[in-house]
Amino acid sequence: MNYLVTGGAGFIGSNYVRMLLSGQLGPVSSVLVLDKLTYAGTLTNLASLPSDSFEFIQGDICDSELTKKLVSRHNAVINFAAESHVDRSIEGSRDFVLTNVLGTQTLLEAARVGSIETFVQVSTDEVYGSIIEGSWPETHPLLPNSPYAASKASADLFARSYYKTHGLDIRITRCSNNYGPYQFPEKIIPFFVTNLIDGLKIPVYGNGANVRDWLHVDDHCRGIHAVLMHGRAGEIYNIGGGTELTNVELTRKILNLMGKNESSIEYVTDRLGHDIRYSVDITKISNELGYKPIVDWKQGLSDTVDWYQRNEGWWRPLKT
Ligand code: NAD
């Protein structure tokens, strides 16, 4: 199969590309990454990949001529390209609308014209809003609260419309919070770890009681691949880890792994519109595709902290 991976120089996309080209997800003919290389994308995430089956093109998913040209040579599009940081979307949401909504629509249109076989739209649990108890099934209404989540929800609706109107084989995945190596150091785990390496304080929003479900990036990528290979056209699949933690619990675990104490915590004014809790119900992907996360949370977090400690050369230039 020939894969077009958009946003493949970012955290999750580059992990997926490395997994694809290592052969652990099955046979691969070729992988082309299309990435704009915004502040969040870097070619160092794609270093040392086999040049006979891998190609990189710098470009924008909003570029309709380019996307039409690239799509025609591929069987599958996996769209990771996005503006992905909630805090940035609160400061200004224009780029989120451009890339996450218009960019996705542009890619969908290219996929339609180019008769792509399968299009996977990588989405997020944040489109559902916030939930005090229980977990969201895929049928839950979309009630996004941040501009980031609103832009991702809009993209999901465009993807669905291309299935309903044009019969394009689209599949949507909605995943919980990811962690692992190569995550841009503005996101909570690498931000805290790298601050602690530098002896800096770590800012916890509000009282730190917000709950997130954490999934190792490898498990997310396995879920996306299962949906691509064995999912059904037009369907939505939640992907989650089942490790729910408050932000304070997560912070304490990081402090513990790094031999630090709570004096490093600085409680700061809460994020605007901060969702209390996210929780996805993964019954559908488990029952239909036999999916379950396999990375042990404690080991995964420990390995991740260790990775940032050993790879200062990767994160320090990005953090400035
Ligand atoms: P990221 O910010 O690390 O990477 C995004 C990539 O997209 C970057 O390489 C960037 O250069 C590229 N990009 C941005 N705008 C582009 C454009 N217009 N054209 C081409 N490329 C562009 O994000 P991530 O954490 O790897 O997330 C990937 C996807 O997974 C996103 O769609 C995000 O919404 C979704 N997601 C992320 C998480 C998470 O915890 N990180 C959880 C669920 C879903």
Side-chain angles (χ1 to χ4, degrees):
M1 187 180 267
N2 299 307
Y3 296 82
L4 173 57
V5 180
T6 55
F11 165 47
I12 306 171
S14 67
N15 198 83
Y16 182 66
V17 169
R18 288 192 299 277
M19 287 176 84
L20 273 178
L21 290 168
S22 71
Q24 61 185 291
L25 298 176
V28 171
S29 302
S30 73
V31 177
L32 171 65
V33 167
L34 170 66
D35 196 297
K36 187 177 174 183
L37 296 182
T38 66
Y39 78 94
T42 164
L43 285 180
T44 54
N45 291 357
L46 298 168
S48 312
L49 293 173
S51 57
D52 54 337
S53 48
F54 172 69
E55 192 185 347
F56 175 83
I57 291 183
Q58 184 171 5
D60 193 330
I61 59 165
C62 298
D63 181 337
S64 60
E65 291 313 309
L66 178 64
T67 52
K68 276 182 190 144
K69 196 171 95 189
L70 298 181
V71 154
S72 62
R73 295 193 266 129
H74 294 85
N75 308 98
V77 174
I78 304 93
N79 181 27
F80 293 92
E83 289 294 333
S84 68
H85 193 44
V86 175
D87 287 349
R88 286 179 189 259
S89 79
I90 294 168
E91 283 159 24
S93 50
R94 184 181 159 81
D95 286 348
F96 289 74
V97 176
L98 289 178
T99 287
N100 301 1
V101 186
L102 180 61
T104 300
Q105 184 276 333
T106 306
L107 264 184
L108 287 163
E109 185 58 21
R112 180 185 77 79
V113 174
S115 304
I116 201 88
E117 286 163 29
T118 311
F119 186 115
V120 178
Q121 172 63 10
V122 179
S123 187
T124 168
D125 59 358
E126 301 194 30
V127 298
Y128 297 120
S130 187
I131 189 167
I132 299 296
E133 55 187 32
S135 302
W136 298 293
E138 289 81 355
T139 49
H140 193 275
L142 299 181
L143 296 168
N145 291 322
S146 71
Y148 162 68
S151 67
K152 294 293 293 185
S154 307
D156 286 12
L157 295 179
F158 267 101
R160 180 177 184 277
S161 78
Y162 268 71
Y163 169 70
K164 287 284 180 186
T165 303
H166 300 295
L168 183 65
D169 177 346
I170 63 98
R171 299 153 194 212
I172 298 168
T173 60
R174 294 185 181 145
C175 189
S176 57
N177 277 31
N178 282 214
Y179 71 97
Y182 298 97
Q183 186 167 30
F184 195 84
E186 67 186 353
K187 302 284 168 58
I188 184 167
I189 292 178
F191 185 58
F192 281 12
V193 173
T194 55
N195 268 20
L196 291 170
I197 291 172
D198 282 345
L200 301 172
K201 295 269 190 193
I202 49 176
V204 172
Y205 280 131
N207 61 5
N210 305 66
V211 176
R212 298 293 181 262
D213 173 49
W214 288 94
L215 183 71
H216 193 276
V217 65
D218 286 356
D219 280 329
H220 185 188
C221 291
R222 276 188 276 272
I224 290 168
H225 200 68
V227 168
L228 170 66
M229 301 309 283
H230 308 294
R232 287 180 291 136
E235 293 292 320
I236 300 163
Y237 295 89
N238 287 339
I239 304 176
T243 304
E244 285 193 23
L245 296 170
T246 65
N247 285 345
V248 162
E249 286 169 337
L250 171 69
T251 304
R252 288 195 184 119
K253 285 180 195 302
I254 295 171
L255 287 170
N256 197 270
L257 283 167
M258 298 187 69
K260 304 270 185 181
N261 61 43
E262 296 198 22
S263 65
S264 295
I265 299 179
E266 183 180 21
Y267 288 92
V268 297
T269 309
D270 207 354
R271 170 192 274 167
L272 293 172
H274 204 172
D275 288 331
I276 297 295
R277 176 173 172 264
Y278 300 143
S279 181
V280 282
D281 178 347
I282 63 164
T283 306
K284 181 174 175 180
I285 191 169
S286 301
N287 287 352
E288 270 190 33
L289 308 180
Y291 171 82
K292 62 175 192 279
I294 59 177
V295 179
D296 173 70
W297 155 255
K298 284 190 187 136
Q299 190 60 49
L301 184 65
S302 168
D303 291 348
T304 300
V305 169
D306 187 52
W307 189 88
Y308 290 98
Q309 287 174 320
R310 286 185 292 103
N311 288 280
E312 199 170 320
W314 179 83
W315 60 260
R316 199 169 284 288
L318 302 178
K319 208 161 173 184
T320 56

